Amino acid sequence: MTHSLVTLADAQPQDAQALRELMARVIAVSVTQDEAVLQSTIANVNRNLGWWLAHPGECVHLKAEAGGRIVGVVLVKQFWNLCSLFVEADLQGQGVGRALVEAACDACRGRSPESALFLNAATNAIPFYRHLGFVERESAQVLPAGFLPMRKSL
């Protein structure tokens, strides 16, 4: 699948380090300036990456590439838990995130035990997810200030 000059493909185990670096860069510039939340968010995405490496058949993990480098990633654990979506800051707003989420929705449709995708949106990402049709949902999970639990039916 291609969007402009970006190609989407399944993430591979050998991509793990590049994915860690991409997520850390994006988190550092766009998620928060609060050091504790920053470190917690990086630790969380790294745990999710480790989960994917241990359970590759139980998720959808797509990467966006441009010019031979990874510029975006989406990970949906167990076909319902959208736990990571990151796009290089200079490419945000150009359709890369939308392409990743739409491809992930397509890949999860019919495989999700929830018939929906669930996520906890960072403050800066809430308008993006709303634009893609995600709505607020109830959650008992304690989230960082400003984060919003959301869902989208598949």
Side-chain angles (χ1 to χ4, degrees):
M1 176 181 220
T2 303
H3 174 75
S4 184
L5 299 175
V6 176
T7 302
L8 303 186
D10 290 327
Q12 302 298 319
Q14 60 268 28
D15 297 325
Q17 187 58 35
L19 294 170
R20 277 187 194 91
E21 292 167 4
L22 165 71
M23 292 185 294
R25 274 193 310 277
V26 175
I27 291 166
V29 299
S30 63
V31 173
T32 184
Q33 297 305 312
D34 180 304
E35 189 61 29
V37 173
L38 178 71
Q39 292 307 317
S40 172
T41 304
I42 290 172
N44 184 56
V45 297
N46 283 327
R47 276 192 304 277
N48 288 330
L49 197 63
W51 188 93
W52 161 67
L53 288 168
H55 307 92
E58 297 177 39
C59 58
V60 171
H61 200 189
L62 303 172
K63 62 183 176 181
E65 294 181 300
R69 67 184 185 103
I70 298 173
V71 298
V73 63
V74 65
L75 171 59
V76 183
K77 294 182 350 187
Q78 298 176 318
F79 310 107
W80 66 268
N81 179 6
L82 196 162
C83 57
S84 296
L85 174 66
F86 295 95
V87 175
E88 288 284 11
D90 62 336
L91 293 176
Q92 291 177 9
Q94 298 182 34
V96 177
R98 171 188 283 278
L100 283 164
V101 171
E102 288 176 352
C105 285
D106 289 346
C108 290
R109 199 167 281 114
R111 299 166 83 184
S112 169
E114 304 290 335
S115 297
L117 292 187
F118 290 72
L119 59 85
N120 296 320
T123 306
N124 65 306
I126 293 168
F128 167 77
Y129 286 117
R130 280 194 173 128
H131 186 71
L132 294 182
F134 284 81
V135 295
E136 187 172 349
R137 66 177 170 87
E138 294 294 320
S139 175
Q141 189 177 7
V142 177
L143 300 175
F147 278 57
L148 182 68
M150 302 182 85
R151 74 180 304 278
K152 177 181 176 141
S153 295
L154 291 174

